[in-house]
């Protein structure tokens, strides 16, 4: 884990960022005219271009010009574009049909839905105080802070404790399990951060029968009333749909909850049809869907989102080296697109949490960004994990061919299932981080309170061209320049309103440069160039505008 850094993001208000996104057309609620739909977001003209720039940068840096590997040779990474609906057996083999189940409780009155285990933890920590309206209000206002917690539900407490001890994967966000005491009374297991000795969270081993019978009697954490909660019901995070005319069990299918499985199922076709050989990568950008229980924090936790995933196939014994490589490469990439400051960190998961292979040197880590709503904490942008050969083997077994589907090394003829290092990033969380990082209050600047300081590569509009006034030949010169530049760059031209207002609009859109055609242009072929960050202006020759952009924006 990197050392704590000063917290800049908490000085930015999420409400201001959301308001600017809405007002300027970065991000809107989906179906807004019908009141919106929870967990779904649309990108407006500026946001669509911004998100495209992020995905294009990823595609460019991963697929078109991949980085050099540890041996100095360029990596081999090829793209695929797989369907959102796949054969339902994919999700059985991958473990999603079984694994994505959580018991849920609804508050019949307020229509709020909770994870049953979270509710149990909330009450275990607050010992009945939820019958008191003041406590309820305090919780609703966010004044009661509940430690991060998770609950392990099993058949009896003994089994739950064994699961916690045996399956450290379920303790993913925590670093160290301190004590297994106090089991009869409240069943709390504290998780302590070794470095600074603070309690990071609590695990509750819970008997599923007790959970079932008790929870409906808890008071609602929204109203404090008893008797309004339902019994826990199983809930699968995958969206279900039906393929074909009949809607029955046989036609049931799922919207993919991750893009990775398309890559795994087409691994064999990629090997057979292209010249790749291990080590190599397959990459995919595409939509994923999760029926998240509580979508929140703007686009951070949505129900429909886009992933940018790489599965990098390697020999098992090289896992540690490749894991380190991808960890460092992906962290540096997020820095390169403008998240270079203290708000970005790499969080290595604890050794305790890791699988057998991972313990031999590879592991799991997250690239995290400190969003205004997570500050002083961080939220995940990308997870980098050693997924071993689990998925390839699972599909080989499930489709009935087993070891026949092993990869054969063309040089040594050796047969094996390659291991995988998976850097899995979110395009929407990435876009949101870029928006939050760029958002900059501009006290004292005329016409606007904020500007978006995007790096030139991310900026949705690279430059604006303005005729100072809409006459005297200026619009014609502006139009000519616009038509010349728009083949290379996203350029906007605008003749409405005062020049100050037009600059302010571009500051909010995050446009790095504005060129203005004024009274001098016709006489001496110069235009003004205005810098977004300093608001300073200088004059350059109109013939130099293109080379100016090539130098400052790139090609
Ligand atoms: P979290 O723990 O925050 O739910 P996760 O660990 O389940 O995330 P992964 O399954 O590793 O996420 O997915 C890879 C990436 O996909 C994440 O790093 C994130 O950027 C993105 N992602 C996952 N779930 C969502 C979501 N509900 N909304 C937006 N992006 C998401």
């Amino acid at each position: 884990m990197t050392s704590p850094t000063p917290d800049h993001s908490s000085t930015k208000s999420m409400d201001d960022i959301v308001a600017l996104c809405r007002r300027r057309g970065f991000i809107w609620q989906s179906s807004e005219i019908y009141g919106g739909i929870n967990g779904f977001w649309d990108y407006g003209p500026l946001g669509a271009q911004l998100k495209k720039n992020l995905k294009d940068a990823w595609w460019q840096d991963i697929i078109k010009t991949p980085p050099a590997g540890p041996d100095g040779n360029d990596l081999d990474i090829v793209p695929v574009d797989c369907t959102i609906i796949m054969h339902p057996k994919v999700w059985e083999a991958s473990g999603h049909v079984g694994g994505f189940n959580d018991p849920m409780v609804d508050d019949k009155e307020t229509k709020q839905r909770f994870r049953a285990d979270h509710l149990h933890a909330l009450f275990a920590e607050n010992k009945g105080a939820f019958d008191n309206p003041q406590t309820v209000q305090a919780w609703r206002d966010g004044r009661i802070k509940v430690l991060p917690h998770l609950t392990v539900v099993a058949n009896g407490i003994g089994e739950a404790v064994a699961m916690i001890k045996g399956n450290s994967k379920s303790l993913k966000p925590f670093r160290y399990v301190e004590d297994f005491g106090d089991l009869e009374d409240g069943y709390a297991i504290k998780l302590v951060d070794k470095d600074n000795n603070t309690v990071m969270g609590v695990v509750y081993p819970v008997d599923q029968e007790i959970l079932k019978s008790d929870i409906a009697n808890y008071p609602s954490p929204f109203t404090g009333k008893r008797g309004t909660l339902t019994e826990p019901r199983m809930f699968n995070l995958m969206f279900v749909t039906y393929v074909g005319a009949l809607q029955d069990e046989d036609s049931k299918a799922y919207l993919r909850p991750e893009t990775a499985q398309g890559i795994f199922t087409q691994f064999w076709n990629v090997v057979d049809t292209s010249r790749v050989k291990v080590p190599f990568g397959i990459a995919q950008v595409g939509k994923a869907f999760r029926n998240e229980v509580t979508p929140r924090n703007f686009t951070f936790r949505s129900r429909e989102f886009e992933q940018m995933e790489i599965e990098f196939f390697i020999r098992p014994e090289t896992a540690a080296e490749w894991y380190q490589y991808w960890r460092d490469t992906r962290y540096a990439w997020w820095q390169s697109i403008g998240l270079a400051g203290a708000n970005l960190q790499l969080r290595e998961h604890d050794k305790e949490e890791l699988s057998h292979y991972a313990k031999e040197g590879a592991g799991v880590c997250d690239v995290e960004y400190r969003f205004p709503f997570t500050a002083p904490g961080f939220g995940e942008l990308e997870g980098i994990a050693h997924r071993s050969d689990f998925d390839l083997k699972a599909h080989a077994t499930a489709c009935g061919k087993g070891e026949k589907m092993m990869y054969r090394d063309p040089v040594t003829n050796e047969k094996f299932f390659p291991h995988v290092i998976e850097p899995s990033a979110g395009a929407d969380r990435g876009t949101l981080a870029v928006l939050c990082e760029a958002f900059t209050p501009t006290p004292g600047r005329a016409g606007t309170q904020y500007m978006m300081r995007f790096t030139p590569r991310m900026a949705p509009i690279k430059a604006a061209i303005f005729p100072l006034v809409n006459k005297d030949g200026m619009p014609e010169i502006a139009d000519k320049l616009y038509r010349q530049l728009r083949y290379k760059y996203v350029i906007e031209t605008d003749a409405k309103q005062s020049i100050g207002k037009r600059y302010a609009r571009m500051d909010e859109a995050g446009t790095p440069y504005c060129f203005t055609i004024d009274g001098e242009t016709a006489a001496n072929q110069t235009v003004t160039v205005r810098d977004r960050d300093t608001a300073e202006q200088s004059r350059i020759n109109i013939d130099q505008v293109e080379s100016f952009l090539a130098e400052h924006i790139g090609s």
Side-chain angles (χ1 to χ4, degrees):
M1 191 152 88
T2 52
S3 56
T5 41
D7 170 15
H8 301 301
S9 60
S10 59
T11 57
K12 298 184 183 179
S13 144
M14 204 56 213
D15 286 348
D16 291 343
I17 295 174
V18 172
L20 184 130
C21 281
R22 189 174 184 288
R23 185 162 55 76
R24 291 312 317 274
F26 282 100
I27 299 174
W28 297 313
Q29 261 196 320
S30 165
S31 326
E32 195 183 282
I33 57 167
Y34 293 104
I37 169 167
N38 200 7
F40 296 88
W41 299 92
D42 289 340
Y43 290 81
L46 287 177
Q49 186 65 55
L50 175 66
K51 187 173 162 190
K52 181 174 186 303
N53 291 350
L54 181 92
K55 290 188 290 178
D56 285 353
W58 185 91
W59 190 280
Q60 167 83 39
D61 298 344
I62 296 297
I63 294 165
K64 271 176 89 182
T65 54
D71 61 2
N73 291 326
D74 282 351
L75 300 183
D76 218 355
I77 304 180
V78 294
V80 291
D81 186 350
C82 303
T83 57
I84 284 166
I85 294 174
M86 302 171 72
H87 197 292
K89 282 198 175 143
V90 169
W91 307 110
E92 285 167 29
S94 67
H96 284 85
V97 172
F100 264 55
N101 281 323
D102 283 316
M104 305 302 307
V105 174
D106 290 320
D107 180 356
K108 286 177 277 188
E109 198 174 87
T110 63
K111 310 285 180 227
Q112 298 290 331
R113 177 171 281 168
F114 313 90
R115 269 179 55 179
D117 53 351
H118 285 183
L119 208 57
H120 178 79
L122 189 67
F123 285 102
E125 268 164 43
N126 294 283
K127 298 277 184 279
F130 277 80
D131 283 335
N132 175 343
Q134 277 165 357
T135 317
V136 174
Q137 194 55 46
W139 183 74
R140 293 184 66 173
D141 296 346
R143 282 180 281 127
I144 292 186
K145 292 274 173 250
V146 183
L147 283 169
H149 46 252
L150 49 109
T151 311
V152 173
V153 184
N155 237 331
I157 299 299
E159 193 179 303
V161 173
M163 275 170 70
I164 294 172
K165 283 183 172 165
N167 181 9
S168 49
K169 199 166 171 262
S170 57
L171 306 181
K172 196 170 140 196
F174 305 108
R175 295 170 60 74
Y176 174 57
V177 180
E178 190 201 42
D179 100 64
F180 286 96
D182 223 8
L183 291 184
E184 274 92 73
D185 175 26
Y187 325 127
I189 295 174
K190 269 193 272 171
L191 301 159
V192 176
D193 186 319
K194 260 184 203 159
D195 290 345
N196 53 22
N197 221 19
T198 49
V199 178
M200 299 288 288
V202 183
V203 184
Y204 297 90
V206 186
D207 181 307
Q208 58 190 357
E209 289 309 313
I210 295 179
L211 187 66
K212 238 192 214 162
S213 56
D214 268 15
I215 231 161
N217 299 323
Y218 289 176
S220 157
F222 265 80
T223 61
K225 276 193 212 159
R226 283 179 195 269
T228 63
L229 299 182
T230 64
E231 282 203 348
R233 293 179 288 205
M234 292 315 270
F235 189 79
N236 192 303
L237 285 190
M238 284 198 293
F239 281 97
V240 172
T241 187
Y242 297 90
V243 176
L246 289 177
Q247 298 205 348
D248 56 19
E249 272 307 298
D250 292 340
S251 64
K252 197 164 155 186
Y254 303 94
L255 306 193
R256 65 182 177 197
E258 61 174 32
T259 59
Q261 295 305 326
I263 297 180
F264 291 125
T265 54
Q266 293 297 2
F267 166 83
W268 292 275
N269 275 336
V270 171
V271 170
D272 288 347
T273 56
S274 44
R275 296 206 187 278
V276 291
K277 55 182 199 296
V278 168
F280 74 94
I282 307 179
Q284 170 159 233
V285 180
K287 292 267 186 167
F289 301 80
R290 293 182 196 172
N291 201 356
E292 298 276 2
V293 179
T294 42
R296 69 195 142 172
N297 291 333
F298 206 18
T299 57
F300 182 84
R301 189 167 300 287
S302 329
R303 289 178 165 144
E304 173 172 344
F305 54 96
E306 215 162 352
Q307 292 187 311
M308 308 183 291
E309 292 197 299
I310 309 165
E311 304 301 331
F312 198 78
F313 299 94
I314 53 167
R315 298 184 65 91
E317 67 276 11
T318 60
E321 185 187 11
W322 281 110
Y323 169 71
Q324 296 288 333
Y325 169 83
W326 278 112
R327 197 190 72 153
D328 298 346
T329 304
R330 295 305 302 149
Y331 182 59
W333 186 82
W334 286 105
Q335 290 180 312
S336 79
I337 61 156
L339 307 180
N343 290 330
L344 193 74
Q345 77 169 14
L346 191 65
R347 188 179 74 86
E348 193 78 51
H349 290 206
D350 195 32
K351 280 270 183 271
E352 299 291 316
E353 309 160 30
L354 304 180
S355 66
H356 165 69
Y357 294 106
K359 280 196 175 129
E360 288 169 10
V364 180
C365 66
D366 294 334
V367 180
E368 299 181 328
Y369 181 75
R370 183 164 45 201
F371 293 92
F373 50 79
T374 57
F378 289 73
E380 174 183 330
L381 294 179
E382 171 159 359
I384 297 122
H386 175 202
R387 262 176 104 137
S388 76
D389 53 6
F390 174 85
D391 300 270
L392 287 185
K393 259 191 187 157
H395 289 302
T397 310
C399 75
K401 294 195 185 137
E403 298 202 342
K404 285 198 202 107
M405 293 185 86
M406 278 183 171
Y407 170 83
R408 189 174 56 80
D409 188 308
V411 180
T412 62
N413 268 340
E414 198 186 337
K415 287 179 136 189
F416 62 97
F417 282 110
H419 275 216
V420 167
I421 305 293
E422 176 193 78
S424 167
D428 303 271
R429 285 192 190 171
T431 304
L432 186 58
V434 168
L435 278 164
C436 292
E437 187 71 15
F439 181 83
T440 310
T442 50
R445 189 176 281 201
T448 179
Q449 291 174 277
Y450 310 107
M451 70 167 143
M452 297 302 257
R453 290 185 73 156
F454 297 121
T455 56
R457 197 177 187 197
M458 288 298 113
I461 303 169
K462 305 300 182 196
I465 296 169
F466 299 144
L468 181 63
V469 289
N470 213 5
K471 56 183 182 182
D472 300 338
M474 294 180 209
E476 289 76 15
I477 301 176
D479 190 58
K480 192 171 165 223
L481 187 58
Y482 162 71
R483 283 174 190 285
Q484 171 199 336
L485 296 174
R486 68 177 182 170
Y487 287 99
K488 274 202 175 158
Y489 303 102
V490 178
I491 304 281
E492 188 154 307
T493 176
D494 181 10
K496 291 201 187 80
Q497 296 186 305
S498 72
I499 193 74
K501 287 202 172 123
R502 281 181 271 165
Y503 286 149
R505 267 178 75 77
M506 284 300 136
D507 286 346
E508 285 185 345
T511 307
Y513 299 102
C514 297
F515 300 97
T516 301
I517 317 301
D518 59 13
E520 278 185 49
T521 307
N524 64 10
Q525 278 74 53
T526 62
V527 296
T528 64
V529 47
R530 175 186 178 274
D531 182 301
R532 173 196 69 201
D533 297 347
T534 61
E536 276 168 15
Q537 296 185 33
S538 52
R539 293 198 82 85
I540 62 169
N541 196 291
I542 197 164
D543 293 342
Q544 289 167 350
V545 170
E546 188 163 348
S547 55
F548 178 95
L549 286 177
E551 186 186 333
H552 291 87
I553 304 281
S555 51

